[in-house]
Amino acid sequence: DVVAMVLEAVMVLRKAKPEWAEAKRQLGDTNFIKQLVEFDKDNMSEKVLKKIRTYVVKPEFDPDVVGRVSNAARSLCMWVRAMDVYGRIFKVVE
């Protein structure tokens, strides 16, 4: 399902196991959103960027598609896509 797919991508960015159980555990952390805001986007590895690219290129990994199921997952989808774009641009500028 699209919500699980989005959360897997978030876990990949956070260098955690891309599994539903781990995603639920992290979502329960009261600092989860703060950690996303403070995410170290300047130091994403090429390996992580390649992994999230496999999610981002999927047609169903679209905020509008995900938003039909969950607004929260829609926002996380937008965050993952933003990290993907930032990572690709940062590598070019670097």
Side-chain angles (χ1 to χ4, degrees), residues 26-45:
Q26 288 196 25
L27 284 169
D29 183 340
T30 55
N31 292 316
F32 181 74
I33 298 298
K34 182 179 184 220
Q35 291 168 359
L36 295 184
V37 171
E38 295 174 352
F39 182 74
D40 186 9
K41 60 188 174 288
D42 293 337
N43 290 306
M44 291 183 285
S45 71

Side-chain angles (χ1 to χ4, degrees), residues 7-16 18 48 51-52 55:
L7 287 168
E8 281 178 20
V10 172
M11 293 302 104
V12 168
L13 277 165
R14 292 173 51 93
K15 297 181 184 166
V48 166
K51 278 187 185 174
I52 63 163
Y55 292 96

Side-chain angles (χ1 to χ4, degrees), residues 5 8-10 12-13 44-59 61 77 80-89:
M5 178 180 56
E8 281 178 20
V10 172
V12 168
L13 277 165
M44 291 183 285
S45 71
E46 192 61 39
K47 182 179 175 185
V48 166
L49 286 170
K50 281 181 182 175
K51 278 187 185 174
I52 63 163
R53 194 84 197 121
T54 64
Y55 292 96
V56 174
V57 297
K58 294 179 181 180
F61 200 89
C77 178
V80 171
R81 293 175 70 89
M83 293 303 105
D84 172 60
V85 170
Y86 182 90
R88 285 185 289 133
I89 290 171

